[in-house]
Amino acid sequence: MELTQDNKKLLAGGTAIALVAAIGGIVIGQSMSPSQPDQTAAAEAGEEGEEEGHGREGFVEMTPTRLQSSGIRTTEVEAGSLASEIIAQATVAAPPEGEAALTARADGAVVRINKRLGDPVKAGETVALIESRDAASFVAERSAAAARAQAARAAYAREKRLFEAKITARQDLEAAQAALAEAEAELRRTQAATAAANVTGNGRYLAVTSLISGRITEVSTQLGAYVLAGAELFHVANPNRIQIEASVPSVDAQRIRPGDPAIIELPGGGSVDAVVRSATPSLNPESRAATLVLAPSGTPAGLTQGQAVRVRIMPRGAPTDGRIVLPEEAVQSVEGRDVVFVRVKGGFQAVPVTVGSRSGGRIEILEGLKPGLQVVTQGAFVLKSQLGASEAGH
């Protein structure tokens, strides 16, 4: 069929309209849809908590400087359950090298006291002086022994010269040698006795010196008091040396081994990590409980010798069923959801969790966390407040 001139004009116009519409659709489509590389970059920035603008939901930015002054503390998540934890009452005590009793080495009268209750003292420092007749006796014995030793050395030297000149017999030389050895042994004994009694240079006083560095925690004497040898005059303790002694029932003690992790709960709030150091092989006859010795990490502030605390011991190898136990303070409610704050790059991320049982200020996490993460256990409410203020501003 042949096309008329009018039909040709209509066909050309329709084709032009269709071509323009197609080109316009392509241009509009490109302008309305974001490119794929931009979406990927935004997702990666969101994962790192560094996306421009509001950042991802639940993220709280925190610089290292602000973190140090905020009072926020984190703990690495470990598997555990409330059923496997052992709660015990404990006492902060001094280890054997952390305290010392200062006693009188001989009978005498206290004529000088250099330290008062609570004063610091260094190892070897003189705390008091005792005037004692035994001090003069020690010095006199040492002087007499020194004179005898000197005479014995001279006699041995003379006999040695005579023997070498073949004037005296060998037995005379051997007798002089034996007498010298005996005299030197007596001199060493008197020198050791004088040093052990801490006799001062003039031979009149006995010095009471501290065995360790620390503070005077007890004074059991006064000026002019006559004391007997062995009487305890002062007590010194080093506040930087502490250990935790926990009383645990025998059934629970059988589950605990040296090296098991533990947590010391401070009376004013917060906690300190510790490990089980040892356990007594026998039970206390009154309480029927075993005593465990825990070593805290470092020298934590807030622990004083004689203080009562509570400890939580987590025996290794106990069944956990994939659960995690945290302080109740670590779990915060945000918009009706239970969340914990996990340490991420640049700050903290609120992570929804499913909680389980609660007991004694502890709570089980059933889902939402895995071991190895750094979770806020103290100061989580601060992050919750900052998160709420940030979302309100946005």
Side-chain angles (χ1 to χ4, degrees):
M1 182 180 62
E2 291 186 3
L3 295 177
T4 63
Q5 189 66 25
D6 292 339
N7 288 339
K8 289 181 180 181
K9 290 181 180 180
L10 290 174
L11 181 59
T15 302
I17 293 173
L19 180 59
V20 170
I23 293 175
I26 293 175
V27 173
I28 293 174
Q30 289 180 345
S31 62
M32 293 297 293
S33 62
S35 62
Q36 185 63 30
D38 292 339
Q39 289 180 336
T40 304
E44 291 178 353
E47 291 177 358
E48 297 296 333
E50 297 176 347
E51 184 179 0
E52 295 294 336
H54 302 320
R56 66 180 182 275
E57 182 182 359
F59 175 75
V60 179
E61 184 179 0
M62 181 70 66
T63 62
T65 303
R66 288 178 55 197
L67 181 61
Q68 291 180 355
S69 60
S70 63
I72 296 174
R73 295 189 59 183
T74 62
T75 301
E76 183 175 342
V77 173
E78 296 180 355
S81 66
L82 290 177
S84 64
E85 288 189 349
I86 298 174
I87 303 175
Q89 299 300 320
T91 303
V92 182
E97 70 278 8
E99 61 180 351
L102 310 187
T103 60
R105 302 300 177 90
D107 299 350
V110 179
V111 296
R112 182 183 298 176
I113 296 178
N114 300 328
K115 295 292 182 179
R116 299 181 181 182
L117 186 67
D119 284 351
V121 62
K122 297 180 180 180
E125 186 176 0
T126 299
V127 179
L129 289 179
I130 298 175
E131 187 176 30
S132 174
R133 290 179 299 177
D134 292 337
S137 299
F138 288 135
V139 174
E141 290 181 0
R142 183 183 61 185
S143 300
R148 288 192 294 268
Q150 181 64 27
R153 294 189 193 98
Y156 173 73
R158 182 175 61 255
E159 289 296 333
K160 185 177 181 181
R161 289 194 304 269
L162 293 175
F163 174 75
E164 292 175 349
K166 298 182 180 181
I167 298 176
T168 58
R170 177 179 291 276
Q171 56 267 29
D172 295 335
L173 176 63
E174 292 175 350
Q177 187 176 12
L180 174 59
E182 183 178 353
E184 289 182 339
E186 178 65 13
L187 176 59
R188 289 192 296 269
R189 184 193 70 80
T190 57
Q191 289 175 339
T194 304
N198 290 330
V199 179
T200 58
N202 57 13
R204 183 180 176 184
Y205 303 108
L206 302 178
V208 180
T209 58
S210 179
L211 301 176
I212 63 173
S213 297
R215 290 184 175 273
I216 304 292
T217 59
E218 185 177 347
V219 179
S220 305
T221 189
Q222 59 186 1
L223 282 176
Y226 189 85
V227 296
L228 300 178
E232 181 176 339
L233 308 180
F234 304 90
H235 191 274
V236 179
N238 187 343
N240 296 326
R241 297 290 186 94
I242 59 173
Q243 66 182 20
I244 311 299
E245 298 179 359
S247 181
V248 179
S250 59
V251 176
D252 293 332
Q254 296 176 1
R255 300 164 46 198
I256 302 173
R257 297 292 182 270
D260 286 344
I263 295 176
I264 305 169
E265 298 181 351
L266 301 179
S271 61
V272 175
D273 294 335
V275 295
V276 177
R277 184 181 182 276
S278 61
T280 56
S282 58
L283 302 180
N284 186 300
E286 297 181 359
S287 62
R288 303 297 179 185
T291 301
L292 300 180
V293 178
L294 281 65
S297 300
T299 307
L303 292 179
T304 305
Q305 295 176 8
Q307 186 179 23
V309 295
R310 190 173 72 165
V311 299
R312 294 179 176 274
I313 306 171
M314 289 74 72
R316 291 173 297 179
T320 61
D321 298 331
R323 302 181 182 186
I324 291 171
V325 179
L326 295 174
E328 281 189 308
E329 181 185 358
V331 180
Q332 298 291 322
S333 178
V334 177
E335 297 181 355
R337 299 178 301 173
D338 291 324
V339 301
V340 299
F341 289 92
V342 178
R343 183 75 181 269
V344 296
K345 182 178 180 181
F348 296 90
Q349 177 66 43
V351 177
V353 294
T354 303
V355 301
S357 303
R358 302 170 185 255
S359 176
R362 307 278 283 177
I363 185 171
E364 284 185 336
I365 306 299
L366 305 181
E367 296 179 355
L369 293 179
K370 60 181 180 179
L373 295 175
Q374 290 288 332
V375 174
V376 176
T377 55
Q378 184 175 338
F381 182 78
V382 175
L383 295 177
K384 174 185 175 180
S385 302
Q386 294 184 9
L387 179 61
S390 176
E391 292 180 350
H394 295 160

